[in-house]
């Protein structure tokens, strides 16, 4: 099965892969939600993390992916949903996210009051994978909705309407960063409803897998230097020499893409990485790191065969 190739390539347990195939056979996808089953733009690499996540989801558990920026939390969530063949429902928590956004709100249709279903309601109805992004920014009003949804009851009370039970294939994957502005400690009651995976930092091996998968026509030397940029910035971030603003894997991958269009590699990396910080002193540090890896005279031909 093509959707599971990235698991086989990493020698993920054959028993787990067979269980996913059985899961996919048992739970089809409603036509109304089929468009939400999408191929991730970036593959996830990490056999141990994948096996832990898959085992938990197969047993009906929800996952909480915790770790700093650029550890692949959302990428992992998207890859898991694709492997299991489930529609994805994204919920980005922020100060204005409330229970109405999750469950739904009243609206008028043909002069009648009806429920405009929220993302959590739809996820429960169609057996989707709900990705709860930055869950540690959620207000108490929003968190209270999740309690019954995430525990053994697997149900949602919809005020003024009815209670709905979650589709047996529905799962929820929360993500949280440490120390972001607006974040808070999750209460024990909410954490107890998840299995927690501590996401490790990127390594040269994991980045090599991602770059080689996404850019098979790139030159080995160029890939090494692009990976080196990320690793150098990650080290400086860990040592508190710079913030995490420029530690942007998506930005670095986007830079690789736009080099294909003919833009110089240095200019592309400036757009994808250097310019992500607006502090002039930090930008100088990041720019110096990039220039030691990406020569100014490089062109598209130096990156792609």
């Amino acid at each position: 099965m093509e959707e599971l190739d990235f698991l086989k390539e990493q020698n993920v347990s054959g028993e787990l892969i067979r269980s996913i195939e059985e899961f996919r056979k048992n739970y089809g996808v409603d036509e109304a939600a089929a468009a939400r089953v999408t191929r991730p733009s970036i593959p996830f690499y990490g056999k141990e993390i994948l096996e832990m996540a898959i085992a938990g989801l197969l047993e009906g558990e929800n996952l909480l992916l915790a770790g700093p920026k650029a550890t692949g939390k959302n990428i992992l969530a998207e890859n898991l949903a694709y492997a299991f063949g489930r529609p994805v429902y994204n919920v980005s928590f922020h100060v204005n996210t409330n229970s109405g956004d999750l469950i739904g709100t009243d609206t008028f249709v043909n002069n009648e009051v009806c429920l405009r279903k929220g993302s959590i309601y739809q996820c429960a109805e169609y057996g989707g994978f709900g990705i709860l992004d930055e869950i540690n920014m959620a207000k108490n009003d929003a968190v209270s909705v999740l309690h019954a949804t995430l525990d053994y009851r697997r149900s949602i009370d919809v005020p003024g309407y009815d209670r709905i039970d979650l589709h047996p294939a529905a799962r929820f994957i929360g993500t949280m960063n440490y120390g972001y502005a607006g974040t808070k400690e999750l209460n024990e009651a909410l954490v107890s409803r998840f299995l927690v995976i501590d996401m490790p930092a990127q390594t040269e091996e994991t980045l090599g897998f991602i770059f080689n998968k996404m850019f098979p026509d790139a030159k080995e030397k160029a890939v090494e230097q692009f990976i080196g940029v990320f690793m150098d910035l990650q080290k400086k971030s860990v040592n508190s020499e710079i913030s995490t603003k420029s530690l942007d894997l998506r930005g670095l991958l986007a830079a690789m893409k736009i080099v294909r269009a003919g833009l110089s590699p240095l200019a592309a990396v400036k757009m994808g990485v250097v310019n992500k910080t607006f502090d002039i002193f930090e930008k100088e540090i990041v720019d110096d790191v990039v220039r030691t890896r990406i020569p100014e005279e490089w062109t598209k031909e130096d990156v792609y065969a």
Side-chain angles (χ1 to χ4, degrees), residues 187-211:
N187 66 59
E188 290 182 25
L190 184 59
V191 174
S192 70
R193 288 162 166 78
F194 291 99
L195 291 177
V196 182
I197 296 178
D198 197 14
M199 300 291 289
Q202 298 288 356
T203 65
E204 290 185 19
E205 182 184 4
T206 60
L207 293 173
F209 176 86
I210 293 169
F211 274 82

Side-chain angles (χ1 to χ4, degrees), residues 129-193:
F129 273 29
I131 301 177
L132 312 176
D133 198 22
E134 309 294 359
I135 194 171
N136 54 333
M137 294 184 74
K139 294 191 303 182
N140 291 338
D141 173 50
V143 169
S144 63
V145 172
L146 298 176
H147 282 182
T149 308
L150 296 172
D151 68 15
Y152 66 93
R153 289 169 285 182
R154 290 179 60 83
S155 64
I156 302 175
D157 279 309
V158 185
Y161 292 89
D162 202 353
R163 190 187 80 169
I164 67 163
D165 294 323
L166 268 65
H167 187 290
R171 304 286 189 273
F172 292 93
I173 304 174
T175 72
M176 59 179 281
N177 285 300
Y178 305 139
Y180 268 23
T183 61
K184 60 183 181 181
E185 285 287 323
L186 290 182
N187 66 59
E188 290 182 25
L190 184 59
V191 174
S192 70
R193 288 162 166 78

